């Protein structure tokens, strides 16, 4: 979907669908102009047929006096209750409507969205993100690929008065985040026989080529040379070779300390010798959604040319059982030198992340954030609404929580008190890789915290938020919005 700002009066614009926001049943300035051209029909219809709840829609075709083929009224809720949240509800349903209807172009009367202290750039970024994201479709491998019959190819934004640089930049940012989410969803949705560690590496290389940032890919021998014995212990049972991907985006000043993003890239998690039960195991193809969110975020920041230095690290492998696989009780040596007793081969995410976190030290980072579908326990604790968040720095945690609350891609902090470390005691190594049933998400983070002492670090457990099960089974693209907004804020852009 293409997004642009267009200087035109709404009633005269030729478009398949003119999207007209309305608050508290009262038309705004742009709405009044359209209503006047239609001889007052629109106000009457809105009053009679449109629900006031934010996100309610009413499509009105062929209004005489109006150039658009249809007007799509969308309710923003009560005027004094308009917020980023109600706007998201409105843009979300508009996006769904456009994606499933035949209108092939659309225009948004954006000025009529403004209320209270909402800034225009915030409105435009949110509109492009939600309407762009709703347009996503997974192109599944099928015998006959059906051509798309619905969806709008472009969205024009109409403003009262002149547009400015900040508005145009925000619109482009929203569009870039949507395209980053689309990449993350595609990678998540692809089955594990397509989306292998090498496929993720090729995706990173292509992004690097397209947007001109450096990408380095380590193969198994190079990973061994780095001393990543913990990472390689997870790859031991797999025929498909592992990869360690390093992306270096330099949008900031050469000497500025980078933000490092580390994504868990298990392209399929069988559990290994500690084999998972069969039911629903297909969903473990989504166990690389942390890696996908890093790739998606890189696409977004590169597309918007964000002035910030960001490093992306992706350890990626399958977790398979075999005659060569790591066994419960095996002791492995991580890149840091710390030894780990692998009591459960299904707690593999932390085993690949710990070596990537040690590797991160060499960048002298401003902060490191890892993103991982790490624990089923996180779904029990927080459900599918919010991501788990743990950190060794409360300011960084607060920053991420606040960005999440503002953008709707929420995360919630859990404690990382020292006492939890006791659960990782081992008689046979520096630590065990599991801490028992109590506080499973926290002990996983406690394990990672032993490898993050050199810098400020936050951990996002996205086990509950990265994909949906059931009829709507599919990747969500989260937490690309959270990460990208965080980076935008850090860049001061
Ligand atoms: N990838 C899983 C976590 C997971 C499970 C995410 C279900 C989403 C849905 C992870 O590798 C795992 O298996 N974790 C174990 C840890 C346990 C063995 C300590 C878990 O959560 O059961
Ligand atoms: Mn596992
Ligand atoms: Zn896993």
């Amino acid at each position: 979907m293409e997004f642009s700002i267009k200087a035109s009066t709404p009633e005269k614009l030729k478009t398949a669908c003119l999207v007209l926001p309305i608050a508290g049943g009262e038309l705004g300035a742009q709405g009044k102009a359209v209503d006047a051209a239609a001889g007052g029909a629109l106000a009457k219809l809105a009053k009679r047929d449109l629900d006031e709840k934010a996100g309610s829609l009413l499509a009105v075709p062929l209004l005489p006096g109006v150039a658009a083929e249809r007007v799509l009224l969308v309710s923003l809720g009560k005027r004094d209750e308009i917020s980023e949240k109600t706007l998201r509800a409105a843009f979300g349903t508009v996006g769904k409507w456009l994606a499933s209807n035949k209108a092939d172009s659309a225009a948004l009367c954006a000025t009529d969205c403004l209320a209270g202290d909402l800034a225009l750039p915030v409105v435009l970024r949110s509109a492009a993100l939600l309407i762009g994201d709703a347009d996503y479709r997974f192109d599944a491998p099928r015998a006959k690929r059906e051509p798309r019959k619905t969806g709008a190819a472009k969205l024009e934004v109409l403003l009262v008065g002149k547009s400015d640089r900040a508005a145009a930049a925000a619109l482009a940012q929203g569009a870039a985040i949507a395209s980053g989410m689309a990449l993350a969803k595609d990678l998540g949705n692809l089955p594990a026989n397509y989306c292998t560690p090498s496929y993720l590496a090729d995706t990173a290389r292509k992004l690097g080529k397209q947007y001109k940032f450096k990408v380095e890919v380590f193969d198994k021998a190079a990973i061994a040379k780095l001393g990543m014995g913990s990472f390689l212990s997870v790859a031991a049972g797999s025929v498909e070779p592992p990869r360690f991907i390093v992306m270096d985006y330099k949008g900031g000043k050469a000497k500025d300390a980078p933000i490092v993003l580390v994504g868990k890239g298990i392209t399929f998690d069988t559990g290994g010798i500690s084999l998972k039960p069969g039911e629903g195991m297909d969903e473990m193809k989504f166990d690389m959604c942390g890696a996908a969110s890093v790739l998606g975020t890189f696409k977004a920041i590169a597309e918007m040319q964000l002035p910030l230095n960001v490093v992306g690290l992706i350890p990626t492998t399958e977790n398979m059982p075999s005659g060569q696989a790591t066994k419960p009780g095996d002791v492995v040596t991580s890149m840091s030198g710390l030894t780990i007793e692998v009591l459960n081969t299904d707690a593999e995410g932390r085993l690949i992340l710990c070596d990537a976190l040690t590797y991160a030290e060499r960048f002298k980072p401003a902060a490191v954030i890892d993103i991982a579908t790490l624990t089923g326990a996180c779904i029990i604790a927080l459900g599918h609404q919010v991501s788990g968040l743990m950190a060794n720095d409360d300011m960084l945690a607060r920053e991420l929580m606040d960005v999440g609350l503002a953008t709707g891609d929420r995360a919630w902090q859990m404690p990382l008190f020292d006492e939890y470390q006791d659960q990782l005691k081992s008689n046979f190594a520096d630590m065990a890789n599991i801490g028992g049933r109590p506080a499973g998400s926290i002990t996983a983070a406690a394990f990672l915290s032993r490898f993050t002492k050199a810098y400020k670090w936050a951990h996002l457990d996205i086990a509950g938020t990265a994909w949906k099960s059931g009829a709507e089974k599919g990747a969500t693209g989260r937490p690309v919005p959270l990460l990208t907004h965080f980076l935008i804020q850090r860049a001061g852009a």
Side-chain angles (χ1 to χ4, degrees):
M1 198 178 234
E2 296 288 326
F3 297 86
S4 60
I5 296 177
K6 177 135 184 170
S8 170
T9 43
E11 68 276 18
K12 294 202 181 109
L13 183 78
K14 283 210 173 75
T15 177
C17 181
L18 183 71
V19 181
L20 198 55
I22 171 168
E26 295 281 330
L27 290 165
Q30 291 172 309
K32 279 185 181 142
V34 180
D35 185 50
L42 201 57
K44 242 183 249 160
L45 275 169
K47 206 156 262 160
R48 203 184 63 191
D49 290 348
L50 181 66
D51 198 285
E52 197 177 83
K53 190 165 172 263
S56 302
L57 300 178
L58 180 65
V60 186
L62 302 170
L63 264 181
V66 178
E69 288 165 22
R70 31 180 119 41
V71 172
L72 183 64
L73 285 166
V74 55
S75 186
L76 303 178
K78 293 198 171 66
R79 176 154 291 279
D80 55 356
E81 287 171 9
I82 294 181
S83 64
E84 281 188 64
K85 191 173 167 200
T86 56
L87 280 185
R88 277 196 298 274
F91 295 144
T93 56
V94 166
K96 267 193 194 142
W97 192 93
L98 287 172
S100 55
N101 280 275
K102 283 198 172 172
D104 58 3
S105 62
L108 170 69
C109 297
T111 304
D112 280 4
C113 293
L114 292 173
D117 53 8
L118 270 177
L120 183 64
V122 171
V123 173
L124 297 191
R125 195 189 298 132
S126 174
L129 196 169
L130 279 133
I131 296 172
D133 178 47
D135 193 50
Y136 173 81
R137 283 245 174 352
F138 180 63
D139 186 15
R142 296 189 203 276
K144 243 178 133 182
R145 295 203 183 192
E146 292 270 308
R148 246 187 102 166
K149 295 194 185 91
T150 60
K154 63 171 182 178
L155 181 84
E156 292 167 317
V157 169
L158 308 181
L159 303 172
V160 175
K162 273 226 175 98
S163 157
D164 56 20
R165 292 253 303 270
L171 187 71
Q173 286 174 348
I177 297 171
S179 82
M181 290 173 79
L183 173 62
K185 288 185 190 182
D186 270 343
L187 294 170
N189 290 335
L190 269 177
N193 60 328
Y194 287 63
C195 185
T196 60
S198 310
Y199 186 91
L200 289 179
D202 289 344
T203 304
R205 280 201 198 93
K206 271 191 204 141
L207 281 179
K209 204 165 248 167
Q210 185 181 355
Y211 296 105
K212 303 193 171 43
F213 58 80
K214 200 175 118 197
V215 176
E216 211 178 340
V217 176
F218 295 77
D219 64 8
K220 192 168 179 177
I223 298 166
K225 216 165 163 194
L226 286 170
M228 296 183 163
S230 182
F231 176 12
L232 284 182
S233 77
V234 177
S238 179
V239 173
E240 194 65 47
R243 295 285 183 261
F244 182 56
I245 306 167
V246 180
M247 300 186 285
D248 197 359
Y249 173 82
K250 286 204 163 306
K253 295 198 194 86
K255 287 211 171 123
D256 286 354
I259 303 284
V260 179
L261 304 179
V262 182
K264 171 178 172 181
I266 297 290
T267 57
F268 196 82
D269 183 11
T270 66
I273 296 298
S274 313
L275 196 64
K276 286 184 180 296
E279 196 183 305
M281 206 208 270
D282 66 287
E283 295 192 9
M284 282 300 115
K285 73 171 181 176
F286 293 115
D287 211 17
M288 35 54 70
C289 281
S293 77
V294 174
L295 289 161
T297 300
F298 266 68
K299 184 171 170 69
I301 62 169
E303 205 160 293
M304 66 179 75
Q305 299 183 323
L306 195 69
L308 191 74
N309 295 335
V310 188
V311 171
L313 303 178
I314 297 174
T316 171
T317 175
E318 295 179 336
N319 183 23
M320 297 288 282
S322 95
Q324 262 125 41
T326 298
K327 305 168 290 297
D330 284 1
V331 172
V332 301
T333 304
S334 67
M335 185 182 182
S336 72
L338 292 168
T339 59
I340 303 159
E341 185 187 10
V342 181
L343 286 175
N344 189 320
T345 63
D346 197 13
E348 85 297 338
R350 61 199 79 181
L351 294 176
I352 68 169
L353 289 170
C354 69
D355 282 338
L357 289 168
T358 299
Y359 187 88
E361 284 179 18
R362 67 186 60 197
F363 299 101
K364 300 193 169 42
V368 177
I369 303 169
D370 79 74
I371 308 99
T373 48
L374 204 62
T375 62
C378 193
I379 311 176
I380 305 303
L382 297 173
H384 297 285
Q385 288 81 354
V386 307
S387 304
L389 167 62
M390 281 138 274
N392 65 8
D393 184 274
D394 282 333
M395 295 273 282
L396 177 60
R398 188 74 244 177
E399 202 179 336
L400 285 162
M401 283 223 286
D402 286 346
V403 170
L405 289 170
T407 60
D409 188 2
R410 287 173 293 183
W412 200 257
Q413 192 180 7
M414 296 196 248
L416 250 190
F417 302 131
D418 260 352
E419 287 84 340
Y420 291 107
Q421 298 288 349
D422 299 344
Q423 286 173 238
L424 297 173
K425 275 190 183 142
S426 161
N427 287 350
F428 304 106
D430 290 321
M431 69 195 89
N433 78 326
I434 53 170
R437 301 229 330 141
S441 302
I442 295 177
T443 53
F447 178 97
L448 297 177
S449 75
R450 296 181 178 213
F451 302 86
T452 62
K453 300 228 159 95
Y455 45 72
K456 291 178 182 172
W457 158 75
H459 158 64
L460 287 168
D461 193 330
I462 58 168
T465 53
W467 77 88
K468 289 182 180 166
S469 310
E472 281 185 280
K473 193 188 283 184
T476 60
R478 290 178 70 180
V480 171
L482 170 60
L483 294 169
T484 312
H485 280 104
F486 167 80
L487 295 172
I488 290 172
Q489 197 164 295
R490 278 286 173 125

